[in-house]
Amino acid sequence: MKNGVVIVGSGHAGVQAAASLREEGYDGPVILLGDEKELPYHKPPLSKTFIKDAAAQPQPLRGEVFYTGHTIDFRPGTLVERIDAAARRLDLAGGGDLAYDHLILATGSRPRVLPLPGADLTGVLSLRSVADARLIREQSGACEEVVVIGGGFIGLEIAATLAAGGRKVTVIEALDRLLGRAVAPLIAEHVRQRLTASGVRILLKTTIERIEGEAGHVSGVLTSSGEHLPAKMVITGIGVVPNVELAETAGLTVANGIRVDTAMRSSVPEILAIGDNASYRHWQTGGDVRLESVQNATDQAKLAARTIVGHPGDYAAVPWFWSDIGDMKLQMVGLTAGSDRQILSGDPAENRFSVFHFAGDRLTAIESVNRPADHMLGRKMLGLGFSPTPEQVAGGAEALKAALAALPAG
Ligand code: FAD
């Protein structure tokens, strides 16, 4: 009797791994463990719509019948505490253990905690799970003023969403620009201008001295410039840390995530890691990366399933990501590391443009604002290893489509 595959974590990566195992013809037991009590759900809508819409429900990744229909033993509310890699066993919180032939760690990541006085006051929140989103939605109703700490994707999505819902929102960012180094400066500045025009106050080059409270609840923040900002809710969005503690109990190699090879195997080959918690050598840049995106979680899960059924491939998916910030759909494809040249296509004044990144003549990435066609063509071009000329970029989507159509078959 096979012990089968145990998957720890029932988020985007874990659920896809279970589905892909069945698609690949794996017929042994598949046990999917998740510490959350919910039916696994899509995370991206949480910061974009869920927190402002009182009637919104979590959107399930798969219907309940999917798990029973594919003989996937889904066990919600199950926290895994320890792995004994030598015995191929894991311990569950509250007692009990489980044996496995293969183990997939899809434990994701969690919000980085702000190391500041006052960070433990009630009303200081972060957003990762639907439980977090419910808290923000419930408590923001009674808040006129909200402070968001961190000008990254999630912080800005939350800021735009709460501002659209009538809250007075201030974003505090330590760097001199938004979105860290995740996008071109032109795009970061465009986002800043549009958010500001929509009523969000943005303070760059500003840090927090302390979070202030009254009777245990947050009442505001004191900034490094000495300004006191009243707020009954403070949301921190200062990045995430990978959930690697379980991997450490198994003695796996961990370095900014669980180290995996190109087939998603950890330093103990029958234990695989996928999604936000996995770090690996990237095929495009040659550098070590740990990506936090639905695409990465999904594609790595598919590959892990193939590895388990004996057809390992090499992870070489083109990375892509999206973010909806107010009236801006940002879409990124490729990685900008190593790029030395940018070409702008379209007009920021129309809130529709793309920045094409190149290393020499080689296309490395495209970042788009409200230009989905550029993004989709970018996925094709990067997948094929095709780099457009500056003239083709200037010609817009039609010229790029024509250039792709003119490529020799195969
Ligand atoms: P998760 O989806 O986080 O799943 C991990 C699961 O494992 C969690 O349920 C966790 O509770 C569980 N777990 C952890 N430890 C244990 C344990 N010991 N025992 C049992 N269970 C455990 N990406 C995009 O591409 N575009 C977007 O627009 C976008 N928006 C986002 C908005 C928000 C608010 C958030 C939070 C994320 C967003 N992301 C977006 C990122 C994307 O959701 C993540 O990259 C993706 O969820 C990663 O999938 P994962 O399965 O690795 O981790």
Side-chain angles (χ1 to χ4, degrees):
M1 172 68 185
K2 284 188 195 173
N3 291 318
V5 181
V6 175
I7 303 168
V8 185
S10 56
H12 285 268
V15 170
Q16 181 62 50
S20 294
L21 280 164
R22 291 301 183 224
E23 279 158 23
E24 294 290 338
Y26 183 79
D27 62 1
V30 174
I31 304 168
L32 177 63
L33 309 174
D35 58 356
E36 295 185 67
K37 295 210 168 87
E38 312 277 337
L39 197 61
Y41 56 89
H42 288 271
K43 288 205 157 63
L46 298 179
S47 46
K48 299 166 179 74
T49 48
F50 187 93
I51 52 172
K52 75 164 181 219
D53 178 358
Q57 298 293 329
Q59 296 172 18
L61 288 169
R62 310 265 176 165
E64 213 159 348
V65 58
F66 166 81
Y67 302 94
T68 45
H70 290 81
T71 337
I72 292 164
D73 181 359
F74 170 47
R75 304 188 194 175
T78 307
L79 175 72
V80 177
E81 271 186 347
R82 208 180 70 86
I83 299 165
D84 182 340
R88 297 194 184 186
R89 239 168 216 291
L90 43 81
D91 295 336
L92 306 177
D97 60 7
L98 262 181
Y100 59 82
D101 298 322
H102 282 95
L103 178 64
I104 300 180
L105 295 177
T107 49
S109 56
R110 61 180 181 274
R112 191 183 296 281
V113 174
L114 197 64
L116 267 184
D120 54 351
L121 290 162
T122 61
V124 180
L125 304 172
S126 57
L127 176 53
R128 180 75 197 174
S129 65
V130 72
D132 300 333
R134 286 196 180 103
L135 261 187
I136 292 175
R137 185 166 72 181
E138 282 157 23
Q139 295 190 13
S140 64
C143 297
E144 203 183 321
E145 288 137 329
V146 177
V147 167
V148 174
I149 303 177
F153 287 114
I154 293 202
L156 296 183
E157 286 184 359
I158 295 171
T161 306
L162 292 182
R167 310 279 86 76
K168 201 173 149 197
V169 183
T170 304
V171 175
I172 297 182
E173 166 56 51
L175 299 178
D176 60 358
R177 49 164 288 180
L178 294 177
L179 296 169
R181 276 169 288 282
V183 297
L186 177 70
I187 293 190
E189 178 55 17
H190 179 78
V191 170
R192 189 194 69 77
Q193 286 178 13
R194 274 197 101 77
L195 276 180
T196 304
S198 73
V200 176
R201 184 168 179 230
I202 296 173
L203 304 178
L204 299 177
K205 289 195 270 184
T206 305
T207 54
I208 306 285
E209 287 296 312
R210 62 171 181 270
I211 303 177
E212 298 174 323
E214 276 167 27
H217 193 87
V218 65
S219 61
V221 302
L222 178 67
T223 70
S224 52
S225 59
E227 186 176 0
H228 175 79
L229 296 167
K232 282 207 188 121
M233 178 180 286
V234 170
I235 300 176
T236 60
I238 53 167
V240 296
V241 290
N243 290 325
V244 296
E245 291 74 7
L246 202 53
E248 284 167 346
T249 69
L252 305 185
T253 305
V254 169
N256 181 31
I258 306 166
R259 290 298 301 179
V260 292
D261 66 11
T262 52
M264 302 296 115
R265 288 173 292 229
S266 74
S267 52
V268 174
E270 66 274 11
I271 304 181
L272 296 87
I274 53 176
D276 276 17
N277 69 8
S279 77
Y280 56 99
R281 181 76 27 102
H282 200 272
W283 61 274
Q284 187 186 340
T285 63
D288 293 339
V289 291
R290 190 179 61 72
L291 299 179
E292 296 153 12
S293 70
V294 169
Q295 171 275 318
N296 182 63
T298 307
D299 286 336
Q300 290 192 336
K302 291 178 182 171
L303 193 58
R306 288 207 293 278
T307 301
I308 288 173
V309 299
H311 305 298
D314 278 334
Y315 187 58
V318 174
W320 57 266
F321 180 82
W322 82 97
S323 173
D324 298 324
I325 303 175
D327 64 357
M328 294 164 280
K329 175 168 275 301
L330 273 66
Q331 292 171 294
M332 283 66 68
V333 56
L335 294 178
T336 56
S339 308
D340 52 24
R341 200 160 56 91
Q342 284 76 36
I343 301 180
L344 172 66
S345 175
D347 185 359
E350 289 176 5
N351 197 25
R352 289 183 72 245
F353 64 102
S354 296
V355 177
F356 288 63
H357 294 257
F358 292 84
D361 291 334
R362 185 173 57 84
L363 180 70
T364 53
I366 301 176
E367 298 165 343
S368 306
V369 177
N370 296 330
R371 293 252 290 204
D374 287 353
H375 176 76
M376 296 311 292
L377 287 162
R379 285 204 223 168
K380 269 200 193 133
M381 291 188 287
L382 287 162
L384 291 168
F386 171 75
S387 298
T389 63
E391 293 71 30
Q392 286 164 340
V393 173
E398 288 312 313
L400 296 172
K401 268 186 218 157
L404 279 170
L407 289 177

